[in-house]
Amino acid sequence: MGRAPAFPPVIPKPLAVAPGRGAFELGPSARIHVDGRNAEAVRVARFLAERLRPATGFRLPVSVKRRPAAAGDVVLALAPGNRSLGDEGYRVRVEPGLVRLDARTPAGLFYAVQTLRQLLPAAVESPRRQPGPWRIGVLTIHDRPRFGWRGLMLDVARHFFDVGEVKRLIDLMSLYKLNRLHLHLTDDQGWRIAIRSRPNLTRVGASTAVGGGPGGHYTRRRYAELVKHARRRFVDVVPEVDMPGHVNAALTSYAELTPDGVAAAPYTGIEVGFSSLSIRKESTYAFVDDVLGELAALTPGRYLHVGGDEPLSTEPEDYRFFVERVQRIVHSHGKRAILWEEAARARLRRSAVIQHWHDPELARRAVGQGAKLVLSPSTRVYLDMKYDRDSPHGLEWAGLTNVRKAYDWDPSGVVAGISERDVLGVEAPLWSETIDTRAGLDWLAFPRLLGVAEAGWSPAGRNWREYRMRLAEHGPRLEALGVGFHRAAGIPWPEVGRNPRK
Ligand code: TNX
């Protein structure tokens, strides 16, 4: 017998778990039933079947239930009346003869499915057939998130990551119930999204990257495909066009955007704060309106991120003018603006969301104006910080950030003097100055991202000593998923060698 953990090693930690006696075993004749005719629920059931088929080798047919489920089946049921589950909550009941997943919404069912995956042995994530058995101890889980915004930001501007890489990241983040993918699409070193009315942005502005690499960009079609992939996993893509600073790539593409009307030279270093749009030229706002209009049309979610960070080359008065005007443009396209915290120096709309990263005073100013916060404290959740002195990737301006530091903080303690109602949630940024491959991305993001996911989902009172035991169980799971995570010291990872991908 291996050690029997006192908890199911689910991350993020569920609100309530009641263990029972005995076990359910998923067998070759299991079926997945959907109770009720809801197209989204059926899609969630198919998603579950597709995840489980490769490793189990079972057929796992999905059907809309006409007769009672048979012993050994999995049932997904939408119960719109059950208010205690909230918009994203769910219940998982594992009995010896049946697994039942209940939720009020398809998103809740999806999270029940993600929990069920984590209750099965890690080898279930293998792309190749595994021996099993596929057993789950009897239990009941009630779960719902603490915050509605549980985000990951990926900087695809400093180095480009293609649609395939980003889809894979969406699959991984959604396994841990993260629901916002903020794409930092533009910066000094590159412009990564095609804008039909402004073709030079991709003809010119997309062709550079940090270190002089080839850059790259998303076509509208591929971007729409990415957004759809995310939606199917209940992830909202929040696109960011960073302005009025961090715009050198745009200034290389359109000379009319620069103060002197001369196109900027490409930039491939990693300094910040040297570029700015021309705040007092009307042509700037025609540009902003074109870009945000097209982006809004590609965005089913409610939010457009318009940057606003580090405006070191914009006069303070010009900066305030720009922030106020850009919020109006976002609003005119039917979206809510989210901006980095510096924007709190300007007048904010009450619908604005402010992303805190560094200065609690600015975060308080935002709340004082009626805005909501997304918390990205750089000393905790900047996934681009080094773990320790020996890290081969990462920066260190916000300090070294080991796995414990990224986990062991509470969102209510980040900005003194505000209340939990002012906080939409948490988000972990992954800036890409120091990484340009999947291996580098995996290494910086995993396993720290799992801790941030738990900070966003699970109630206060989390405990590092207990978490590290659960996290250890995710080593083999991440391995089976092909994730090149950092096997950080201080976590009791099970021994290597039984690689379930083989
Ligand atoms: C600060 S945090 C930035 C980014 C850099 C990052 C590197 C913020 C809003 N801006 O431009 O990529 O530091 O850690």
Side-chain angles (χ1 to χ4, degrees), residues 115-151:
T115 291
L116 182 63
R117 286 170 70 186
Q118 293 191 18
L119 292 171
L120 284 159
V124 81
E125 300 299 343
S126 171
R128 270 176 270 290
R129 181 100 184 243
Q130 302 294 315
W134 308 107
R135 221 171 268 149
I136 309 174
V138 165
L139 52 64
T140 300
I141 294 179
H142 275 96
D143 200 11
R144 79 178 103 83
R146 178 174 177 187
F147 295 109
W149 187 299
R150 304 177 303 277

XYZ file of all heavy atoms in Angstrom, residues 115-151:
304
model
N -12.426 18.542 -11.629
C -12.172 17.901 -10.333
C -12.140 16.385 -10.486
O -11.255 15.709 -9.950
C -13.248 18.332 -9.311
O -13.054 19.715 -9.023
C -13.161 17.534 -8.017
N -13.099 15.857 -11.261
C -13.142 14.403 -11.466
C -11.833 13.902 -12.086
O -11.290 12.872 -11.673
C -14.341 14.050 -12.352
C -14.552 12.566 -12.618
C -14.844 11.819 -11.320
C -15.699 12.352 -13.608
N -11.308 14.628 -13.068
C -10.022 14.231 -13.665
C -8.947 14.116 -12.589
O -8.133 13.204 -12.595
C -9.557 15.273 -14.689
C -10.313 15.246 -15.994
C -9.955 16.453 -16.852
N -8.592 16.409 -17.378
C -8.029 17.417 -18.052
N -8.698 18.544 -18.256
N -6.802 17.302 -18.509
N -8.955 15.095 -11.656
C -7.913 15.106 -10.628
C -8.126 14.033 -9.562
O -7.211 13.720 -8.808
C -7.832 16.489 -9.977
C -7.342 17.571 -10.923
C -7.003 18.864 -10.199
O -6.807 18.881 -8.990
N -6.952 19.957 -10.946
N -9.359 13.505 -9.468
C -9.605 12.426 -8.508
C -9.112 11.082 -9.047
O -8.850 10.155 -8.285
C -11.107 12.343 -8.183
C -11.693 13.532 -7.401
C -13.215 13.424 -7.333
C -11.108 13.628 -6.002
N -9.004 10.970 -10.363
C -8.517 9.735 -10.986
C -6.986 9.672 -10.882
O -6.332 10.701 -10.709
C -8.961 9.689 -12.450
C -10.445 9.339 -12.657
C -10.934 9.792 -14.031
C -10.671 7.833 -12.473
N -6.398 8.493 -10.996
C -4.932 8.398 -10.941
C -4.276 9.278 -12.014
O -4.834 9.474 -13.105
C -4.673 6.914 -11.233
C -5.940 6.217 -10.867
C -7.045 7.181 -11.141
N -3.089 9.801 -11.693
C -2.389 10.737 -12.577
C -2.226 10.194 -13.994
O -2.273 10.951 -14.974
C -1.023 11.079 -11.991
N -2.062 8.875 -14.113
C -1.809 8.267 -15.422
C -2.970 8.479 -16.388
O -2.819 8.297 -17.596
C -1.519 6.781 -15.268
N -4.124 8.903 -15.864
C -5.268 9.130 -16.743
C -4.991 10.269 -17.732
O -5.634 10.372 -18.769
C -6.555 9.408 -15.911
C -6.610 10.868 -15.452
C -7.796 9.047 -16.713
N -3.996 11.089 -17.415
C -3.652 12.204 -18.308
C -2.665 11.797 -19.393
O -2.291 12.605 -20.242
C -3.085 13.375 -17.513
C -4.041 13.943 -16.461
C -5.340 14.485 -17.044
O -5.393 14.721 -18.271
O -6.305 14.675 -16.272
N -2.246 10.563 -19.371
C -1.281 10.112 -20.373
C -1.918 10.064 -21.765
O -3.078 9.688 -21.914
C -0.769 8.724 -20.005
O -0.015 8.211 -21.074
N -1.181 10.425 -22.813
C -1.717 10.314 -24.171
C -1.752 8.862 -24.668
O -2.291 8.592 -25.735
C -0.756 11.153 -25.010
C 0.526 11.163 -24.251
C 0.154 11.052 -22.802
N -1.146 7.941 -23.915
C -1.113 6.536 -24.322
C -1.844 5.649 -23.322
O -1.944 5.971 -22.155
C 0.327 6.064 -24.430
C 0.889 6.280 -25.821
C 2.357 5.900 -25.873
N 3.212 7.039 -25.564
C 3.380 8.087 -26.362
N 2.755 8.142 -27.516
N 4.172 9.076 -26.035
N -2.327 4.517 -23.830
C -3.074 3.552 -23.028
C -2.289 3.115 -21.786
O -1.124 2.772 -21.879
C -3.360 2.337 -23.923
C -4.143 1.263 -23.271
C -5.586 1.367 -23.681
N -6.353 0.369 -22.946
C -7.001 -0.630 -23.525
N -7.010 -0.746 -24.839
N -7.667 -1.493 -22.791
N -2.952 3.133 -20.625
C -2.336 2.762 -19.351
C -3.137 1.633 -18.726
O -4.327 1.480 -18.990
C -2.332 3.965 -18.405
C -1.603 5.186 -18.946
C -0.118 4.940 -19.090
O 0.524 4.386 -18.201
N 0.430 5.329 -20.236
N -2.518 0.857 -17.819
C -3.193 -0.316 -17.268
C -4.352 -0.014 -16.305
O -5.211 -0.867 -16.112
C -2.068 -1.055 -16.539
C -0.980 -0.063 -16.330
C -1.100 0.935 -17.422
N -4.416 1.140 -15.674
C -5.431 1.333 -14.638
C -4.999 0.621 -13.373
O -3.805 0.373 -13.214
N -5.917 0.215 -12.436
C -7.358 0.459 -12.491
C -7.683 1.932 -12.256
O -6.888 2.660 -11.690
C -7.865 -0.424 -11.339
C -6.743 -0.430 -10.341
C -5.488 -0.403 -11.182
N -8.909 2.322 -12.666
C -9.331 3.721 -12.611
C -10.324 3.897 -11.466
O -11.515 3.965 -11.679
C -9.908 4.147 -13.969
C -8.941 3.818 -15.064
C -9.042 2.840 -15.983
C -7.691 4.480 -15.312
N -7.944 2.818 -16.804
C -7.092 3.825 -16.418
C -7.016 5.548 -14.723
C -5.850 4.208 -16.931
C -5.783 5.928 -15.235
C -5.206 5.260 -16.327
N -9.760 3.922 -10.262
C -10.576 3.891 -9.057
C -10.601 5.252 -8.362
O -9.582 5.955 -8.350
C -9.944 2.874 -8.105
C -10.950 2.016 -7.398
C -10.261 0.892 -6.631
N -10.135 -0.332 -7.403
C -9.124 -1.204 -7.263
N -8.135 -0.986 -6.417
N -9.110 -2.305 -8.001
N -11.753 5.591 -7.792
C -11.884 6.829 -6.999
C -12.566 6.468 -5.691
O -13.603 5.790 -5.702
C -12.779 7.870 -7.703
C -12.332 8.105 -9.145
C -12.789 9.187 -6.940
C -13.270 9.007 -9.918
N -12.013 6.922 -4.575
C -12.636 6.685 -3.273
C -13.978 7.414 -3.192
O -14.141 8.505 -3.745
N -14.928 6.800 -2.478
C -16.251 7.416 -2.308
C -16.107 8.747 -1.573
O -15.371 8.854 -0.588
C -17.163 6.453 -1.507
C -18.404 7.175 -0.990
C -17.554 5.269 -2.386
N -16.782 9.748 -2.067
C -16.771 11.060 -1.402
C -17.824 11.975 -2.000
O -18.410 11.678 -3.056
C -15.392 11.733 -1.495
C -14.685 11.903 -2.837
C -15.439 12.806 -3.798
C -13.307 12.490 -2.632
N -18.081 13.081 -1.311
C -18.908 14.161 -1.856
C -18.126 15.462 -1.736
O -17.556 15.744 -0.681
C -20.235 14.294 -1.072
O -20.934 13.056 -1.180
C -21.095 15.408 -1.655
N -18.083 16.203 -2.822
C -17.406 17.507 -2.822
C -18.436 18.585 -3.164
O -19.209 18.436 -4.115
C -16.257 17.537 -3.863
C -15.148 16.562 -3.454
C -15.716 18.956 -4.034
C -13.983 16.502 -4.423
N -18.452 19.634 -2.337
C -19.199 20.858 -2.658
C -18.169 21.928 -2.910
O -17.280 22.114 -2.089
C -20.026 21.328 -1.458
C -21.339 20.675 -1.356
N -21.570 19.582 -0.564
C -22.518 20.955 -1.960
C -22.824 19.205 -0.668
N -23.430 20.021 -1.515
N -18.313 22.654 -3.983
C -17.244 23.591 -4.293
C -17.778 24.790 -5.047
O -18.717 24.676 -5.849
C -16.181 22.865 -5.139
C -14.824 23.547 -5.112
O -14.626 24.462 -4.291
O -13.960 23.144 -5.917
N -17.189 25.944 -4.760
C -17.456 27.145 -5.551
C -16.317 28.122 -5.309
O -15.664 28.064 -4.277
C -18.811 27.752 -5.219
C -18.884 28.575 -3.977
C -20.283 29.149 -3.796
N -21.023 28.430 -2.789
C -20.918 28.665 -1.477
N -20.115 29.594 -1.038
N -21.607 27.968 -0.615
N -16.047 29.024 -6.270
C -14.850 29.861 -6.151
C -15.036 31.071 -5.233
O -16.133 31.601 -5.106
C -14.620 30.339 -7.587
C -15.958 30.314 -8.224
C -16.725 29.196 -7.571
N -13.919 31.482 -4.647
C -13.913 32.717 -3.853
C -14.033 33.938 -4.766
O -14.729 34.889 -4.448
C -12.596 32.771 -3.058
C -12.431 34.032 -2.226
C -11.189 33.942 -1.365
N -10.957 35.163 -0.616
C -9.861 35.392 0.116
N -8.914 34.460 0.200
N -9.719 36.519 0.771
N -13.330 33.926 -5.909
C -13.328 35.079 -6.817
C -13.746 34.673 -8.227
O -13.458 33.562 -8.676
C -11.924 35.699 -6.901
C -11.458 36.304 -5.607
C -10.444 35.706 -4.877
C -12.040 37.472 -5.118
C -10.011 36.264 -3.682
C -11.616 38.037 -3.920
C -10.601 37.433 -3.203
N -14.358 35.616 -8.922
C -14.811 35.371 -10.289
C -13.717 35.559 -11.331
O -13.860 35.107 -12.470
N -12.648 36.278 -10.976
C -11.554 36.532 -11.929
C -10.329 35.761 -11.464
O -9.730 36.077 -10.428
C -11.245 38.031 -11.996
C -10.247 38.420 -13.062
C -8.946 38.008 -13.158
C -10.471 39.297 -14.174
N -8.345 38.576 -14.264
C -9.256 39.375 -14.893
C -11.578 40.034 -14.630
C -9.120 40.168 -16.046
C -11.441 40.818 -15.770
C -10.220 40.881 -16.471
N -9.988 34.709 -12.207
C -8.833 33.879 -11.859
C -7.981 33.785 -13.118
O -8.244 32.985 -14.013
C -9.311 32.500 -11.374
C -10.301 32.627 -10.182
C -10.846 31.298 -9.739
N -11.517 30.561 -10.786
C -12.780 30.737 -11.164
N -13.549 31.632 -10.566
N -13.279 30.027 -12.151
N -6.973 34.657 -13.176
C -6.342 34.888 -14.469
C -4.886 34.482 -14.577
O -4.169 34.314 -13.594
